[in-house]
Structure formats: C-alpha cells, structure tokens
C-alpha cells in the first residue's frame, strides 16, 4: 500500500493524515536550504525530530520522499509536485 501525503510548496508547514486508523502529523521546516521533518502520531508521540529529508532515504520506517523527476533531495518549492512524500508498507 502507498499513500501520497499532500503538501504545498511552502518552506514551513504541517501536514496530517490518517493511515491504518492512526493519525499522523508531519512537520516540515526549511533551514539553510535543507528540508527537515518531525513526525509524530497519536499512539506513540514523536517518532523522529528534525530529521534531514533526503531523496529515497526513509524518514521513518514507512515514510520517504521521492523525487519524481530525478534524484535530487527535496526542497520546499518542489513539494506537492516534483517531490512526493509517500507512506509505504512495501518492502
């Protein structure tokens, strides 16, 4: 299963979604041109804090950014377009 999490091209934002009956919150912040994520859910609290977002490298066990046009690390102005935030349970 893959879930694409909708994002906007803003440097700092919070997105929330429900996956498998668990409410997730993803906070994205841009610092010095790099994107960082803090991920939490209602069951476990904060999973990761200020994790650097890199193309194809998992932020958590199931959450990853994918560059749909190449292999560049995500930047905020490509969110919601070139850079997709995906929750996956595929191996």
């Amino acid at each position: 299963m893959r879930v694409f999490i909708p994002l906007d091209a803003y440097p700092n934002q919070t997105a929330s979604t429900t996956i498998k009956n668990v409410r997730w919150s993803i906070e994205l912040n841009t610092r010095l041109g790099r994107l960082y994520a803090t991920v939490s859910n209602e069951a476990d609290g904060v999973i990761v804090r200020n994790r650097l977002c890199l193309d194809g490298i998992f932020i958590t066990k199931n959450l990853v950014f994918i560059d749909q046009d190449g292999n560049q690390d995500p930047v905020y102005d490509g969110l919601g377009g070139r850079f997709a935030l995906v929750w996956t349970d595929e191996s």
Side-chain angles (χ1 to χ4, degrees):
M1 177 172 104
R2 280 187 170 200
V3 176
F4 287 82
I5 298 167
L7 299 172
D8 295 311
Y10 297 122
N12 303 304
Q13 61 186 291
T14 300
S16 32
T17 190
T18 300
I19 302 168
K20 294 188 174 185
N21 296 321
V22 176
R23 188 88 176 142
W24 290 85
S25 176
I26 301 108
E27 180 182 334
L28 299 173
N29 292 291
T30 299
R31 293 190 304 273
L32 300 173
R34 310 282 312 256
L35 196 62
Y36 294 82
T38 296
V39 180
S40 59
N41 70 37
E42 61 188 5
D44 301 315
V46 175
I47 308 297
V48 296
R49 188 179 309 273
N50 295 315
R51 173 90 34 104
L52 179 62
C53 299
L54 302 170
D55 176 50
I57 305 296
F58 281 83
I59 300 165
T60 66
K61 179 181 175 185
N62 299 94
L63 195 63
V64 64
F65 269 105
I66 298 172
D67 181 349
Q68 300 183 97
D69 290 333
N71 60 355
Q72 187 178 42
D73 293 334
V75 291
Y76 81 87
D77 58 357
L79 297 177
R82 178 177 180 169
F83 303 109
L85 182 57
V86 179
W87 187 95
T88 181
D89 59 5
E90 300 168 5
S91 51

